[in-house]
């Protein structure tokens, strides 16, 4: 993952190395050094962003073990040639989805997120793409994130307003609303349309 800021990239890498050292290190003094490395990384990130040191520590320095990317699932559901989007509390729109929960496969998580955000029951038909968020979406986080996109088929259901989404609606490719580009871009929706139109679609992997 690259933030476009070399110093910030180094700080993120330093934090990851310190976290790994804290998990695998056996020596007390090594732990002390790694803890201080982590504090320095947090201070650097706070200085280079608008985030407070307390928030940086909570978001990026509270994990343990070998640091790995988080997984985000997004689902493409079509009706009459249009794609389903959800209107979030910000007033902007995105493909239904969210963080992958522990204990669920990515496809199971996609089904769960669609149900929670749209009220629809769906089945996953195939994987559209696996993307590195930093290469495709607007940046608002230093987290390393892999985004999975699934083509889903609706089995029925009804939208109910919830604490995540205000509304749902189907949109044609030429009538997309204002999107939350950290979560969903017009290019990603275009990709979903292409996948839905091609029965032999091959899942795309970020290189």
């Amino acid at each position: 993952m690259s933030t476009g800021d070399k110093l910030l990239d180094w700080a993120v890498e330093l934090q990851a190395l310190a976290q790994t050292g804290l998990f695998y290190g056996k020596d007390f003094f090594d732990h002390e050094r790694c803890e201080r490395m982590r504090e320095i990384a947090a201070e650097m990130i706070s200085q280079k962003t608008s985030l407070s040191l307390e928030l940086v520590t909570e978001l990026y320095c509270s994990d343990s073990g070998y640091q790995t990317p988080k997984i985000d699932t997004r689902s493409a559901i079509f009706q009459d040639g249009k794609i389903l989007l959800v209107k979030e509390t910000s007033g902007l729109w995105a493909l239904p989805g969210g963080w992958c929960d522990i204990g669920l496969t990515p496809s199971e998580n996609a089904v769960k997120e669609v149900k929670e955000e749209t009220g629809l029951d769906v089945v996953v038909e195939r994987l559209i793409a696996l993307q590195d968020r930093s290469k495709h979406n607007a940046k608002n986080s230093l987290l390393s994130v892999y985004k999975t996109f699934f083509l889903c088929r609706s089995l029925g259901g009804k939208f109910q307003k919830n604490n995540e989404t205000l509304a749902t609606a189907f949109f044609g490719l030429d009538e997309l609303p204002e999107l939350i580009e950290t979560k969903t871009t017009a290019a990603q929706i275009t990709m979903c349309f292409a996948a839905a139109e091609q029965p032999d679609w091959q899942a795309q992997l970020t290189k």
Side-chain angles (χ1 to χ4, degrees):
M1 183 195 79
S2 173
T3 65
D5 184 313
K6 197 66 177 176
L7 190 60
L8 201 51
D9 289 342
W10 286 336
V12 172
E13 182 179 3
L14 181 64
Q15 193 288 131
L17 291 171
Q19 179 175 310
T20 301
L22 284 169
F23 185 73
Y24 288 108
K26 304 299 183 184
D27 184 82
F28 170 80
F29 297 104
D30 284 344
H31 271 250
E32 279 194 332
R33 296 183 189 100
C34 288
E35 191 60 55
R36 181 55 189 146
M37 284 171 57
R38 201 176 208 190
E39 291 173 356
I40 292 171
E43 291 166 7
M44 292 170 65
I45 292 170
S46 179
Q47 285 290 320
K48 292 291 291 182
T49 66
S50 59
L51 302 176
S52 69
L53 180 58
E54 291 75 19
L55 184 57
V56 170
T57 301
E58 178 184 348
L59 292 176
Y60 307 111
C61 304
S62 59
D63 198 7
S64 63
Y66 191 87
Q67 189 162 323
T68 60
K70 294 177 72 68
I71 304 293
D72 173 72
T73 62
R74 296 288 152 183
S75 297
I77 304 153
F78 289 88
Q79 177 178 294
D80 300 325
K82 296 187 175 185
I83 196 167
L84 181 67
L85 300 178
V86 295
K87 185 177 184 180
E88 297 199 357
T89 53
S90 64
L92 305 181
W93 297 76
L95 289 168
W99 295 126
C100 198
D101 289 346
I102 298 295
L104 296 179
T105 66
S107 59
E108 289 170 342
N109 199 80
V111 171
K112 178 189 75 72
E113 288 290 332
V114 170
K115 182 64 175 179
E116 291 177 352
E117 295 188 357
T118 73
L120 296 181
D121 295 302
V122 299
V123 293
V124 171
E125 295 193 322
R126 62 179 180 270
L127 176 67
I128 296 174
L130 173 64
Q131 295 184 343
D132 182 332
R133 185 178 68 177
S134 68
K135 297 181 183 296
H136 296 272
N137 294 80
K139 296 178 177 64
N140 75 333
S141 170
L142 301 178
L143 294 174
S144 179
V145 178
Y146 290 162
K147 295 178 68 67
T148 58
F149 294 84
F150 293 100
L151 183 64
C152 298
R153 175 167 51 86
S154 174
L155 301 176
K158 184 178 180 181
F159 174 74
Q160 292 186 341
K161 190 174 178 180
N162 56 77
N163 61 2
E164 293 186 84
T165 52
L166 303 176
T168 64
F170 286 90
F171 296 90
L173 192 53
D174 59 350
E175 56 184 14
L176 296 179
E178 189 173 1
L179 301 169
I180 308 172
E181 295 201 340
T182 55
K183 297 183 178 181
T184 303
T185 66
Q188 288 166 337
I189 292 175
T190 299
M191 173 185 67
C192 292
F193 269 89
E197 293 167 359
Q198 300 177 36
D200 59 347
W201 176 268
Q202 298 295 310
Q204 297 186 0
L205 305 178
T206 295
K207 296 181 179 179

